């Protein structure tokens, strides 16, 4: 059974239909990516899956139960966490305070402390800056913090929206190393990423979105070799 399944998903902004009846699924333990040009509907899709936008049609199931129209805070408690485009960190709070906000729905003090240690192990820079205001961090450090905060909710499904945006190449490589590590530890991931080559290289499967529709879906290695994908998204 798929962990996440969307069928006929449509999402609109007023009269503008941004997502036009897409089907997708993510199986437990998979790392799946959504690629496509700007405006293709990738972020809108992710926001809908995370409960930030209500679908105008279709249905979304998580672990066999419908979650269409559920609020995002409810979905966090069910095991879905989103790392949003633009990071969304709280600049006036410290690194540690931001991380603790990720665990707001949890009561297991020992588990939270263990997951804080895990976040600092994944991101040693955050450990060095734990008392520092998050707004003073570099872009790469803020992205690390956004991922670490999401992991503090102990998600079974992690949604990542453009984690490489605005980062220097060396930091992009670091972030993707962490994404590989999180996946290897058993967290299921759905990744939206403008850098199609990197996204497909770390993923098991991928979907190509064009103008709100899925136009291709295949194993990641097959999409990397697909002439149409290479021409449109890989510069080949």
């Amino acid at each position: 059974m798929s962990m996440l399944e969307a069928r006929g998903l449509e999402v609109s902004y007023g009269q503008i239909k941004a997502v036009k009846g897409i089907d997708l699924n993510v199986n437990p333990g998979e790392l799946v990516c959504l690629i496509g040009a700007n405006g293709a509907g990738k972020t809108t899709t992710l926001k809908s899956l995370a409960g930030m936008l209500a679908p105008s049609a279709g249905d979304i199931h998580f672990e066999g139960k419908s979650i269409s129209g559920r609020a995002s805070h409810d979905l966090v408690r069910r095991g879905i966490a989103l790392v949003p485009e633009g990071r969304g960190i709280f600049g006036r709070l410290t690194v540690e305070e931001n991380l603790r906000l990720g665990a707001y729905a949890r009561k297991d003090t020992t588990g939270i402390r263990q997951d804080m240690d895990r976040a600092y192990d994944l991101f040693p820079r955050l450990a060095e800056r734990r008392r520092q205001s998050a707004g003073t961090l570099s872009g790469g450090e803020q992205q690390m913090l956004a991922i670490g905060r999401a992991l503090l909710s102990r998600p079974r499904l992690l949604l990542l929206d453009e984690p490489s945006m605005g980062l220097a190449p060396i930091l992009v490589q670091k972030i993707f190393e962490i994404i590989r590590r999180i996946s290897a530890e058993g967290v299921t991931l759905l990744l939206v990423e403008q850098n199609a080559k990197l996204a497909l290289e770390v993923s098991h499967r991928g979907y190509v979105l064009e103008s709100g529709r899925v136009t291709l879906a295949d194993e990641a290695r097959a999409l990397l070799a697909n002439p149409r994908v290479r021409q449109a998204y890989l510069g080949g």
Side-chain angles (χ1 to χ4, degrees):
M1 182 179 68
S2 296
M3 175 176 280
L4 178 74
E5 184 174 20
R7 287 290 173 262
L9 182 66
E10 297 183 7
V11 188
S12 300
Y13 296 98
Q15 299 301 310
I16 300 172
K17 190 177 291 186
V19 176
K20 304 170 183 176
I22 69 171
D23 296 342
L24 64 83
N25 71 286
V26 183
N27 298 317
E30 276 193 312
L31 199 173
V32 176
C33 66
L34 302 179
I35 63 172
N38 287 333
K42 305 185 303 297
T43 290
T44 299
T45 298
L46 221 58
K47 285 184 175 180
S48 180
L49 298 174
M52 298 178 68
L53 292 172
S56 51
D59 202 5
I60 305 167
H61 283 77
F62 178 65
E63 296 182 330
K65 297 180 179 179
S66 177
I67 58 169
S68 296
R70 295 281 186 177
S72 55
H73 60 82
D74 180 34
L75 297 187
V76 171
R77 290 182 170 90
R78 288 171 179 251
I80 301 174
L82 170 68
V83 180
E85 179 182 4
R87 296 142 201 165
I89 56 97
F90 296 91
R92 294 187 179 184
L93 301 182
T94 67
V95 166
E96 187 147 316
E97 288 168 339
N98 269 271
L99 288 174
R100 289 192 177 279
L101 282 175
Y104 77 94
R106 296 173 57 185
K107 305 297 182 184
D108 55 322
T109 304
T110 300
I112 292 170
R113 185 165 57 249
Q114 291 172 345
D115 287 349
M116 291 284 289
D117 290 341
R118 176 180 175 236
Y120 288 138
D121 178 58
L122 277 173
F123 304 110
R125 292 191 190 188
L126 299 184
E128 297 168 5
R129 294 159 172 75
R130 67 178 69 193
R131 306 300 181 197
Q132 189 171 321
S133 295
T136 64
L137 300 179
S138 69
E141 291 164 349
Q142 289 185 11
Q143 186 63 65
M144 294 174 190
L145 179 56
I147 295 173
R149 181 183 60 190
L151 291 174
L152 257 293
S153 71
R154 198 171 278 185
R156 294 187 297 284
L157 174 64
L158 183 62
L159 309 176
L160 291 165
D161 195 359
E162 302 285 8
S164 76
M165 181 177 287
L167 302 186
I170 191 170
L171 288 175
V172 171
Q173 292 297 329
K174 178 64 176 176
I175 291 297
F176 271 81
E177 288 172 12
I178 295 299
I179 290 171
R180 286 181 188 268
R181 182 172 169 184
I182 293 168
S183 176
E185 291 177 356
V187 178
T188 304
L189 292 103
L190 180 58
L191 167 68
V192 161
E193 175 55 50
Q194 191 67 35
N195 188 325
K197 184 174 185 293
L198 267 179
L200 290 169
E201 285 175 346
V202 302
S203 298
H204 299 106
R205 293 189 298 112
Y207 293 88
V208 179
L209 266 63
E210 296 178 355
S211 301
R213 291 187 169 90
V214 172
T215 56
L216 285 170
D218 209 332
E219 299 292 321
R221 70 183 73 181
L223 291 175
L224 278 168
N226 185 301
R228 179 177 164 190
V229 174
R230 294 182 65 83
Q231 179 67 30
Y233 304 109
L234 307 180

